Amino acid sequence: MKHSFIIALAVLLLSCSGKQAEGLSFDPGAGTPGSLTLPTGRQVNYTAYERLYYVTEVADSTYQFLNVYVPEGATQRSPIFFRTYVGAFMASAAGAPRPGDASGRALAEGCVVVIPGSRGHNSQVDGRFNGRAPAGLLDLKAAVRYLRLFDAVMPGSAERIITDGTSAGGAMSALLGATGNDPVYEPLLDAMGAARQQDHVFASVCYCPIIDIDHADMAYEWLFRQTDSRLAGSDEQKAVAARLADAYPAYLAGLDLRKPDGSVLDGGNMMEYLREILTASAQKAKDAGAVISPELGFSYGGAPAGRGEYLTDLDMTAYLNYVVGRTPLKGVPSFDSKDVLGSRPSPENSEFGDETGSSVNFTAASAAYNGRQLDPGVAERVFMMNPMNFVGRAGADNAPHWYIRHGALDRDTAFPIPVIFATRLQNEGLDVDFDLAWNRPHSGDYALGELFAWVHRITGE
Ligand code: DHB
């Protein structure tokens, strides 16, 4: 067993020096005291270990390190809450836990909190953009490996890492959860001087993850084609949108998805399935006291004594028009927009560009619009950045536990995107807590009571 040998060697090295292994270091005695006050007024005292570089070949000293915060009372068994602040696929610096989000709450709930830095499409060193995909993900995987390398001497258990992120950070969390130990990243991690450790995680928390971006343009037009906004588009815009929308059902069929009741989920019943999920989400909110206005497209009826009315139906066109009325839609196409219908590059176009700072098309459809074929090197990197490719893949160790939330008002990506990801994970027999969270826009780290009840359930702590 290669890994057990390496672990034994690491422990041996650690017992000699106390803090050095594989050219990386951690000094358990070097922590500094700190404290954080939650909105409730509760104060949590912690020991901080900061600026821990997680690769030996540091290419960007601004981002390639992590910070660790150990709350009073934490043990070797405590879960590690690994919160990435990546947004828009940009670089994200390691920071301290924040009182108002899941990082501060995690500390108060007894988790060791890790806040990693990672490169992104905007990071530059000496004029070179060295954080283009998959660099940000590799940095985060290297951070996970670092935690395993020093697991024996650092409080918290590297076997109980729970990743968390929102939007592009939700995508990073999903990728960390899906791609554990996959050999496709191995040569890249090796070249960076990442620890020769495993990088699978225990659980993944994904708020509005921007995933499946190579199919997200199709999903977007498939869902929103019926809205007034899209119907008011130009003929050329409608033609591009229709080509994308019409291609989505074949993609869905190829995924061979099953709903929780075992029946097929495909393009033929996806809209109905979304209607069911959204109605259930609204009903749950209504039962908890929310007022659900008929203007949103709901029908009511069948009131059992004492429980108020049931939401019996939802007019999806009316509901989608409501969502679009809150936040205008992205353009056509929504993600791979560069040079299509005169659109500017998106963050995703930059993410797949190169060291010179270029931005490129990353879908066959947008490349074809520009009279080109998709660049094979770009396609390989797109593959590495889509967690859908790694669920159930031989050689990838998927996290056993998943918490996925996408707001019912979110239009940054289309509802089927998180639905098919959650379904695919469920179809692999994994533990998935999924919802289109009622009345939530594109946002994260909400309903923290619910999130940490789930954390306690999966960790048994
Ligand atoms: C984010 C939002 C987007 O709409 C997108 O396409 C990519 C990233 C974000 O908020 O991180």
Side-chain angles (χ1 to χ4, degrees), residues 85-90 166-171 208-211 213 220 330 334-335 346-348 410-413 442-443:
Y85 285 95
V86 168
F89 296 103
M90 292 191 293
T166 297
S167 194
C208 54
I210 298 289
I211 52 173
I213 51 181
Y220 208 80
K330 293 181 169 184
S334 45
F335 291 87
S346 63
E348 291 80 6
D410 192 337
R411 71 18 137 198
D412 275 53
T413 197
H442 189 65
S443 56

Side-chain angles (χ1 to χ4, degrees), residues 88-356:
F89 296 103
M90 292 191 293
S92 171
R98 302 180 187 178
D101 73 13
S103 63
R105 178 68 177 261
L107 209 58
E109 300 279 344
C111 300
V112 170
V113 172
V114 170
I115 302 189
S118 55
R119 293 167 295 167
H121 69 76
N122 59 330
S123 47
Q124 290 181 60
V125 174
D126 297 334
R128 311 297 292 174
F129 290 77
N130 68 0
R132 265 65 204 297
L137 172 61
L138 297 173
D139 285 351
L140 296 171
K141 287 172 83 70
V144 170
R145 289 173 171 219
Y146 176 95
L147 298 176
R148 264 208 178 76
L149 179 62
F150 293 111
D151 198 23
V153 288
M154 188 190 290
S157 168
E159 298 312 321
R160 306 171 107 201
I161 295 174
I162 301 167
T163 62
D164 173 40
T166 297
S167 194
M172 291 300 181
S173 183
L175 281 158
L176 289 167
T179 66
N181 308 326
D182 195 288
V184 76
Y185 305 97
E186 199 63 46
L188 300 169
L189 286 161
D190 232 35
M192 292 162 60
R196 298 213 164 104
Q197 297 289 314
Q198 295 194 299
D199 56 40
H200 60 282
V201 299
F202 177 66
S204 172
V205 177
C206 315
Y207 285 96
C208 54
I210 298 289
I211 52 173
D212 206 6
I213 51 181
D214 35 333
H215 303 100
D217 289 337
M218 294 183 213
Y220 208 80
E221 300 314 320
W222 180 88
L223 183 70
F224 290 116
R225 70 193 305 174
Q226 57 192 308
T227 60
D228 296 342
S229 162
R230 280 303 195 247
L231 292 170
S234 70
D235 285 350
E236 200 192 355
Q237 191 184 62
K238 279 193 232 174
V240 172
R243 275 202 297 279
L244 289 166
D246 291 345
Y248 197 50
Y251 168 66
L252 286 178
L255 294 175
D256 196 22
L257 299 170
R258 295 282 181 280
K259 290 195 263 186
D261 68 4
S263 64
V264 169
L265 174 62
D266 62 14
N269 61 9
M270 175 61 83
M271 198 65 82
E272 172 61 19
Y273 193 46
L274 296 177
R275 196 181 65 79
E276 282 170 26
I277 297 173
L278 287 163
T279 305
S281 171
Q283 182 71 52
K284 199 164 61 176
K286 187 171 182 298
D287 292 346
V291 175
I292 313 290
S293 158
E295 168 212 359
L296 275 59
F298 284 105
S299 310
Y300 305 84
R307 278 204 59 203
E309 293 167 310
Y310 281 129
L311 301 173
T312 54
D313 201 2
L314 175 61
D315 175 340
M316 281 299 289
T317 304
Y319 184 71
L320 292 169
N321 274 323
Y322 171 74
V323 170
V324 174
R326 296 283 297 255
T327 316
L329 287 177
K330 293 181 169 184
V332 180
S334 45
F335 291 87
D336 193 355
S337 56
K338 180 185 158 74
D339 297 335
V340 182
L341 297 169
S343 298
R344 287 205 315 256
S346 63
E348 291 80 6
N349 289 130
S350 300
E351 177 71 346
F352 294 107
D354 65 21
E355 284 205 341
T356 65

